[in-house]
Amino acid sequence: MAVHHVGLTISTKGKGTYEITEAVAKTVTDSGITTGNVTVFVRHTSCSLIIMENADPTALRDLEEFFERLVPEDTPYFEHTAEGGDDSTSHIRAVLTRSSEVIPIAGGKMQLGTWQGIFLFEHRRAPHRREIALSIAGD
Amino acid sequence: MAVHHVGLTISTKGKGTYEITEAVAKTVTDSGITTGNVTVFVRHTSCSLIIMENADPTALRDLEEFFERLVPEDTPYFEHTAEGGDDSTSHIRAVLTRSSEVIPIAGGKMQLGTWQGIFLFEHRRAPHRREIALSIAGD
Amino acid sequence: MAVHHVGLTISTKGKGTYEITEAVAKTVTDSGITTGNVTVFVRHTSCSLIIMENADPTALRDLEEFFERLVPEDTPYFEHTAEGGDDSTSHIRAVLTRSSEVIPIAGGKMQLGTWQGIFLFEHRRAPHRREIALSIAGD
């Protein structure tokens, strides 16, 4: 067995979902590993990961709108607002989604289902450079 | 170290929780791995994974009712409803729970606590065949 | 590649967040593994894991208050209340957060971002001893 560490940087334009499936798939192919796992880890607390339907843009819009309502910006009781009304909001949305995902690899490919895409979910209003740490382990 | 890939298919009867602990445990035993991890990955975006109390059925009922209220079916502002009023609802419930779980193996057994069970959480009204990708890695 | 299993016990004083970053980092250093992953798995269904901003205590307070409101104690429709008004509440808060996290290791260090801490999120009112299973795998 072997293990590879790869870093991935994503530039976001502010709030929304950014698909990274192809970028992750490329690191798997480049690793030469045919059976194992890829771990995807986001190195931030105000953006997160989701695995989501990637065919119909309205599915992503509904999800984004749901989070706008579940954890609103400028929530009156939030104290942690030094960076703006999206500060605690961003951290809580991140906690409700994922920091790490692990996807099995078989036959040299990630075992994603037909409709699954991996997305960076940016929770901050402003553009950010986001770092993702990947490790690919297996034979 | 070795790594094994195993597929698991679960037939659901529609919405609800389906325990898969025994099926996952069997793949661990069959692998012969005594120290390592098992990765459980659901290959869909309208069902998900949870690790949950598996002794008292009322705990699962409360959880299911909570999700009915948190992400209701037929939510008026949802646009992604091509497959029915449970369409976006299912994806959002999946995002709020898990696509992947990784459970350490020691002494040849998954290190689940006494009350922990692994469940497939089906979010669609209709029965479905669901595929789970497992990888077991270790010594 | 090698894999190490380590157990970690955390004594909580009841509800709240307990940082375990240093304890996890120590197991990584002790393992001697420089490239790989550490899997953190909580062996309970009434506490959970989060990766969260660890610099400003108000961020954690806002998060805790959010969960008090999202899944209130003593929710009237909950049936699973044998252990008190925080019983189903605890399980549901656990399902909405994480049982497992996997953090890549590179250069002998976990690839956490600058502001990321790993926390045990205790959902029960009473103090508990909590067991966390760790596995560190890699070269």
Side-chain angles (χ1 to χ4, degrees):
Chain A
M1 284 186 66
V3 57
H4 301 259
H5 174 72
V6 184
L8 193 64
T9 302
I10 306 292
S11 293
T12 72
K13 295 167 186 166
K15 292 169 63 163
T17 48
Y18 299 83
E19 186 159 11
I20 60 171
T21 314
E22 286 307 309
V24 177
K26 185 174 185 311
T27 69
V28 171
T29 304
D30 290 351
S31 74
I33 286 171
T34 56
T35 307
N37 291 299
V38 53
T39 299
V40 186
F41 180 79
V42 64
R43 305 182 67 205
H44 303 275
T45 60
S46 58
C47 64
S48 56
L49 297 172
I50 56 171
I51 291 181
M52 180 65 188
E53 218 265 25
N54 68 351
D56 181 352
T58 63
L60 291 165
R61 284 213 297 272
D62 289 351
L63 176 80
E64 292 171 22
E65 179 62 20
F66 176 84
F67 275 91
E68 289 298 319
R69 292 167 187 234
L70 183 66
V71 196
E73 295 194 6
D74 303 304
T75 293
Y77 69 83
F78 288 166
E79 293 179 63
H80 178 74
T81 53
E83 296 178 22
D86 61 344
D87 199 345
S88 265
T89 301
S90 294
H91 298 313
I92 294 169
R93 290 180 187 180
V95 162
L96 289 168
T97 50
R98 264 64 68 87
S99 303
S100 63
E101 288 283 1
V102 182
I103 301 137
I105 299 165
K109 287 181 187 294
M110 283 195 286
Q111 293 302 291
L112 292 172
T114 309
W115 309 105
Q116 286 183 309
I118 311 168
F119 292 85
L120 176 73
F121 196 178
E122 174 63 76
H123 304 302
R124 303 307 302 250
R125 295 171 187 155
H128 279 77
R129 273 173 70 85
R130 299 305 199 172
E131 292 173 16
I132 293 171
L134 302 173
S135 69
I136 305 108
D139 286 323
Chain B
M1 283 187 68
V3 58
H4 300 261
H5 175 72
V6 184
L8 194 64
T9 302
I10 307 292
S11 293
T12 72
K13 295 166 187 166
K15 291 169 63 163
T17 48
Y18 299 83
E19 187 160 11
I20 61 171
T21 314
E22 286 308 309
V24 177
K26 185 175 184 310
T27 67
V28 171
T29 304
D30 291 351
S31 74
I33 286 171
T34 56
T35 307
N37 291 298
V38 54
T39 299
V40 186
F41 180 79
V42 64
R43 304 182 66 206
H44 304 275
T45 60
S46 58
C47 64
S48 55
L49 298 172
I50 56 171
I51 291 182
M52 181 64 188
E53 217 267 25
N54 70 349
D56 181 352
T58 63
L60 291 165
R61 284 213 297 272
D62 289 350
L63 176 79
E64 292 170 22
E65 179 62 21
F66 176 84
F67 275 91
E68 290 298 318
R69 293 169 187 233
L70 183 66
V71 196
E73 295 194 6
D74 303 303
T75 292
Y77 69 83
F78 287 167
E79 294 178 64
H80 178 74
T81 53
E83 297 178 21
D86 61 344
D87 199 345
S88 264
T89 301
S90 295
H91 298 313
I92 294 169
R93 290 180 187 180
V95 162
L96 289 168
T97 49
R98 263 65 68 86
S99 302
S100 63
E101 287 282 2
V102 182
I103 302 139
I105 300 165
K109 287 181 186 295
M110 283 194 286
Q111 294 303 291
L112 292 171
T114 310
W115 309 106
Q116 285 183 309
I118 310 168
F119 293 84
L120 177 73
F121 196 178
E122 175 62 77
H123 304 302
R124 302 308 301 251
R125 296 170 186 155
H128 279 77
R129 274 172 70 86
R130 299 306 200 172
E131 292 172 15
I132 294 171
L134 301 173
S135 69
I136 306 107
D139 287 323
Chain C
M1 283 187 67
V3 57
H4 300 261
H5 175 72
V6 183
L8 193 65
T9 302
I10 307 293
S11 293
T12 71
K13 295 167 187 164
K15 292 169 62 164
T17 47
Y18 299 84
E19 187 160 10
I20 61 171
T21 314
E22 286 307 308
V24 177
K26 185 175 184 309
T27 69
V28 171
T29 303
D30 291 352
S31 74
I33 285 171
T34 56
T35 307
N37 291 298
V38 54
T39 299
V40 185
F41 180 79
V42 64
R43 304 183 66 206
H44 304 274
T45 61
S46 58
C47 63
S48 55
L49 298 172
I50 56 171
I51 291 182
M52 180 64 188
E53 217 266 26
N54 70 350
D56 181 352
T58 64
L60 292 165
R61 283 212 299 272
D62 289 349
L63 176 79
E64 292 170 23
E65 180 62 22
F66 176 84
F67 274 91
E68 289 298 318
R69 293 169 186 232
L70 183 66
V71 196
E73 294 194 7
D74 303 303
T75 292
Y77 70 84
F78 288 167
E79 293 179 63
H80 178 74
T81 53
E83 296 179 22
D86 61 345
D87 199 345
S88 265
T89 301
S90 294
H91 298 314
I92 294 169
R93 291 181 187 180
V95 162
L96 289 168
T97 50
R98 262 66 66 88
S99 301
S100 62
E101 288 283 1
V102 182
I103 301 138
I105 299 165
K109 288 181 185 295
M110 283 194 286
Q111 294 302 292
L112 292 172
T114 310
W115 309 104
Q116 286 183 309
I118 311 168
F119 292 84
L120 177 73
F121 196 178
E122 174 63 77
H123 305 302
R124 303 307 302 249
R125 294 170 188 155
H128 279 77
R129 273 173 70 85
R130 299 305 199 173
E131 292 173 16
I132 293 171
L134 302 173
S135 69
I136 305 108
D139 287 323

